[in-house]
Amino acid sequence: MGLAAMMVTFMLSIISFVHERSASTLDRLLSTPATEGEIVAGYALAFGLVGLIQSCVILVTAVLLFQIQIQGSALLVLGVILLFGVGNQGLGFLLSSIAKNEFQAVQFMPLILFPSILLSGVFWPIEAVPTLLRPISFFIPLTYAVEACRSVMIRGWGPGDIWFQLIVLVIFATIMLTLSTY
Protein backbone atom coordinates (compact mmCIF):
# COMPACT_ATOMS: atom_id res chain seq x y z
CA MET A 1 0.00 0.00 0.00
CA GLY A 2 2.83 2.38 0.78
CA LEU A 3 4.47 1.75 -2.58
CA ALA A 4 1.19 2.22 -4.43
CA ALA A 5 0.43 5.42 -2.56
CA MET A 6 3.92 6.71 -3.24
CA MET A 7 3.74 6.03 -6.93
CA VAL A 8 0.31 7.58 -7.39
CA THR A 9 0.74 10.63 -5.16
CA PHE A 10 4.28 11.44 -6.29
CA MET A 11 3.58 10.97 -10.00
CA LEU A 12 0.28 12.84 -9.92
CA SER A 13 1.68 15.77 -8.00
CA ILE A 14 4.86 16.26 -10.00
CA ILE A 15 3.16 16.08 -13.39
CA SER A 16 0.03 18.03 -12.49
CA PHE A 17 1.94 20.80 -10.73
CA VAL A 18 4.21 21.29 -13.77
CA HIS A 19 1.16 21.27 -16.04
CA GLU A 20 -0.70 23.77 -13.89
CA ARG A 21 2.34 26.02 -13.73
CA SER A 22 2.75 25.93 -17.53
CA ALA A 23 -1.00 26.53 -18.02
CA SER A 24 -0.78 29.56 -15.67
CA THR A 25 -3.29 28.05 -13.25
CA LEU A 26 -0.88 28.64 -10.38
CA ASP A 27 -0.46 32.28 -11.37
CA ARG A 28 -4.22 32.70 -11.20
CA LEU A 29 -4.34 30.96 -7.83
CA LEU A 30 -1.59 33.21 -6.50
CA SER A 31 -3.60 36.28 -7.51
CA THR A 32 -6.31 35.21 -5.04
CA PRO A 33 -6.10 35.89 -1.28
CA ALA A 34 -4.83 32.31 -0.74
CA THR A 35 -1.21 32.07 0.39
CA GLU A 36 1.38 29.77 -1.17
CA GLY A 37 1.20 27.54 1.89
CA GLU A 38 -2.58 27.23 1.64
CA ILE A 39 -2.35 26.34 -2.04
CA VAL A 40 0.29 23.68 -1.39
CA ALA A 41 -1.69 22.34 1.58
CA GLY A 42 -4.85 22.14 -0.53
CA TYR A 43 -3.09 20.23 -3.29
CA ALA A 44 -1.38 17.97 -0.75
CA LEU A 45 -4.63 17.09 0.97
CA ALA A 46 -6.40 16.49 -2.35
CA PHE A 47 -3.71 14.19 -3.72
CA GLY A 48 -3.27 12.60 -0.30
CA LEU A 49 -6.97 11.76 -0.43
CA VAL A 50 -6.46 10.12 -3.83
CA GLY A 51 -3.67 7.99 -2.34
CA LEU A 52 -5.90 7.18 0.64
CA ILE A 53 -8.75 6.04 -1.62
CA GLN A 54 -6.34 3.89 -3.60
CA SER A 55 -5.08 2.38 -0.35
CA CYS A 56 -8.66 1.63 0.73
CA VAL A 57 -9.22 -0.22 -2.53
CA ILE A 58 -6.00 -2.20 -2.03
CA LEU A 59 -6.89 -2.99 1.59
CA VAL A 60 -10.44 -4.09 0.79
CA THR A 61 -9.16 -6.21 -2.11
CA ALA A 62 -6.53 -7.83 0.12
CA VAL A 63 -9.09 -8.69 2.78
CA LEU A 64 -11.98 -9.81 0.56
CA LEU A 65 -10.20 -11.50 -2.34
CA PHE A 66 -6.99 -12.74 -0.77
CA GLN A 67 -8.28 -13.36 2.77
CA ILE A 68 -5.49 -11.29 4.32
CA GLN A 69 -5.86 -11.05 8.10
CA ILE A 70 -5.20 -7.64 9.64
CA GLN A 71 -4.12 -7.92 13.25
CA GLY A 72 -4.13 -4.18 14.06
CA SER A 73 -6.21 -1.15 13.19
CA ALA A 74 -6.94 -0.64 9.50
CA LEU A 75 -7.62 3.02 10.27
CA LEU A 76 -4.12 3.42 11.68
CA VAL A 77 -2.68 1.88 8.52
CA LEU A 78 -4.71 4.28 6.39
CA GLY A 79 -3.54 7.17 8.57
CA VAL A 80 0.08 6.17 8.00
CA ILE A 81 -0.56 6.00 4.26
CA LEU A 82 -2.26 9.42 4.26
CA LEU A 83 0.67 10.96 6.14
CA PHE A 84 3.15 9.32 3.78
CA GLY A 85 1.10 10.44 0.76
CA VAL A 86 1.09 14.04 1.94
CA GLY A 87 4.87 13.94 2.28
CA ASN A 88 5.19 12.58 -1.23
CA GLN A 89 2.99 15.41 -2.46
CA GLY A 90 5.46 17.88 -1.05
CA LEU A 91 8.34 16.01 -2.68
CA GLY A 92 6.50 16.03 -6.01
CA PHE A 93 5.74 19.74 -5.71
CA LEU A 94 9.34 20.48 -4.77
CA LEU A 95 10.76 18.59 -7.76
CA SER A 96 8.15 20.07 -10.09
CA SER A 97 9.53 23.52 -9.30
CA ILE A 98 12.80 22.47 -10.93
CA ALA A 99 11.21 20.92 -14.03
CA LYS A 100 10.31 23.23 -16.88
CA ASN A 101 7.88 20.85 -18.58
CA GLU A 102 6.16 17.49 -18.09
CA PHE A 103 8.93 15.62 -19.91
CA GLN A 104 11.53 16.86 -17.44
CA ALA A 105 9.20 16.06 -14.54
CA VAL A 106 8.86 12.46 -15.74
CA GLN A 107 12.65 12.14 -15.70
CA PHE A 108 12.69 12.76 -11.93
CA MET A 109 10.43 9.78 -11.26
CA PRO A 110 13.01 6.98 -11.67
CA LEU A 111 15.48 8.92 -9.50
CA ILE A 112 13.05 8.75 -6.59
CA LEU A 113 11.06 5.58 -7.27
CA PHE A 114 13.81 3.04 -8.02
CA PRO A 115 15.94 3.63 -4.91
CA SER A 116 12.77 3.71 -2.81
CA ILE A 117 11.48 0.46 -4.26
CA LEU A 118 14.80 -1.36 -4.05
CA LEU A 119 16.07 -0.16 -0.67
CA SER A 120 12.99 0.37 1.54
CA GLY A 121 12.12 -3.21 2.40
CA VAL A 122 9.05 -3.42 0.19
CA PHE A 123 10.02 -6.64 -1.57
CA TRP A 124 12.66 -8.04 0.76
CA PRO A 125 13.85 -7.23 4.28
CA ILE A 126 16.33 -4.39 4.74
CA GLU A 127 18.74 -6.99 6.14
CA ALA A 128 18.89 -8.46 2.62
CA VAL A 129 20.00 -5.14 1.12
CA PRO A 130 23.78 -5.12 0.50
CA THR A 131 25.65 -3.85 3.54
CA LEU A 132 27.15 -0.95 1.61
CA LEU A 133 23.69 0.32 0.54
CA ARG A 134 21.81 -0.44 3.76
CA PRO A 135 22.44 2.96 5.43
CA ILE A 136 20.70 4.65 2.49
CA SER A 137 17.54 2.72 3.39
CA PHE A 138 17.20 4.75 6.56
CA PHE A 139 17.02 8.00 4.58
CA ILE A 140 14.12 6.74 2.45
CA PRO A 141 10.69 7.65 3.87
CA LEU A 142 9.06 4.59 2.29
CA THR A 143 11.14 2.46 4.67
CA TYR A 144 9.28 3.93 7.64
CA ALA A 145 5.85 3.73 5.99
CA VAL A 146 6.42 0.06 5.11
CA GLU A 147 7.65 -0.79 8.61
CA ALA A 148 4.72 1.01 10.24
CA CYS A 149 2.14 -0.70 8.01
CA ARG A 150 3.71 -4.13 8.50
CA SER A 151 3.89 -3.66 12.25
CA VAL A 152 0.24 -2.67 12.50
CA MET A 153 -1.13 -5.22 10.02
CA ILE A 154 0.99 -8.24 10.95
CA ARG A 155 1.99 -7.66 14.57
CA GLY A 156 -1.13 -5.79 15.68
CA TRP A 157 0.86 -2.84 16.99
CA GLY A 158 -0.78 0.47 17.89
CA PRO A 159 0.35 4.10 17.60
CA GLY A 160 2.49 3.81 20.74
CA ASP A 161 4.48 1.01 19.13
CA ILE A 162 5.11 2.78 15.82
CA TRP A 163 5.72 6.25 17.28
CA PHE A 164 9.20 6.50 15.76
CA GLN A 165 7.97 5.75 12.23
CA LEU A 166 5.13 8.24 12.69
CA ILE A 167 7.53 10.96 13.82
CA VAL A 168 9.81 10.33 10.84
CA LEU A 169 6.83 10.53 8.45
CA VAL A 170 5.56 13.74 10.10
CA ILE A 171 9.03 15.29 9.78
CA PHE A 172 9.23 14.17 6.14
CA ALA A 173 5.81 15.63 5.32
CA THR A 174 6.55 18.88 7.16
CA ILE A 175 9.93 19.41 5.50
CA MET A 176 8.65 18.56 2.02
CA LEU A 177 5.56 20.78 2.29
CA THR A 178 7.58 23.64 3.73
CA LEU A 179 10.27 23.45 1.06
CA SER A 180 7.72 23.12 -1.72
CA THR A 181 5.91 26.21 -0.43
CA TYR A 182 9.10 28.24 -0.74
Side-chain angles (χ1 to χ4, degrees):
M1 285 188 319
L3 177 61
M6 178 183 184
M7 291 176 65
V8 167
T9 56
F10 177 69
M11 289 189 303
L12 278 177
S13 63
I14 194 169
I15 291 173
S16 67
F17 224 64
V18 167
H19 176 70
E20 292 195 14
R21 194 176 68 231
S22 65
S24 298
T25 305
L26 289 178
D27 291 333
R28 285 180 266 171
L29 281 173
L30 290 172
S31 68
T32 67
T35 66
E36 290 91 350
E38 292 169 342
I39 292 169
V40 168
Y43 275 105
L45 288 176
F47 288 130
L49 184 62
V50 169
L52 185 62
I53 291 169
Q54 179 188 20
S55 296
C56 287
V57 169
I58 292 170
L59 194 59
V60 167
T61 303
V63 170
L64 295 180
L65 292 180
F66 297 104
Q67 312 300 310
I68 300 293
Q69 300 291 320
I70 299 174
Q71 300 302 318
S73 168
L75 289 177
L76 180 57
V77 171
L78 293 175
V80 168
I81 295 300
L82 177 63
L83 182 59
F84 180 59
V86 168
N88 279 308
Q89 299 308 311
L91 178 61
F93 297 156
L94 182 63
L95 292 177
S96 72
S97 67
I98 300 168
K100 299 198 184 330
N101 55 44
E102 286 95 349
F103 180 71
Q104 285 181 348
V106 168
Q107 292 175 337
F108 284 122
M109 289 180 199
L111 294 175
I112 300 298
L113 293 177
F114 287 140
S116 295
I117 291 169
L118 296 174
L119 301 175
S120 66
V122 171
F123 295 114
W124 48 78
I126 292 178
E127 295 78 23
V129 172
T131 308
L132 183 64
L133 298 175
R134 198 172 303 153
I136 298 169
S137 298
F138 300 106
F139 291 99
I140 298 174
L142 182 58
T143 302
Y144 300 96
V146 166
E147 181 58 30
C149 288
R150 275 194 187 130
S151 294
V152 172
M153 292 178 70
I154 295 171
R155 298 177 188 107
W157 288 6
D161 300 310
I162 60 166
W163 65 270
F164 180 74
Q165 289 86 357
L166 291 173
I167 288 173
V168 169
L169 292 174
V170 165
I171 291 170
F172 168 64
T174 302
I175 289 172
M176 290 299 108
L177 290 175
T178 302
L179 289 176
S180 66
T181 300
Y182 290 114

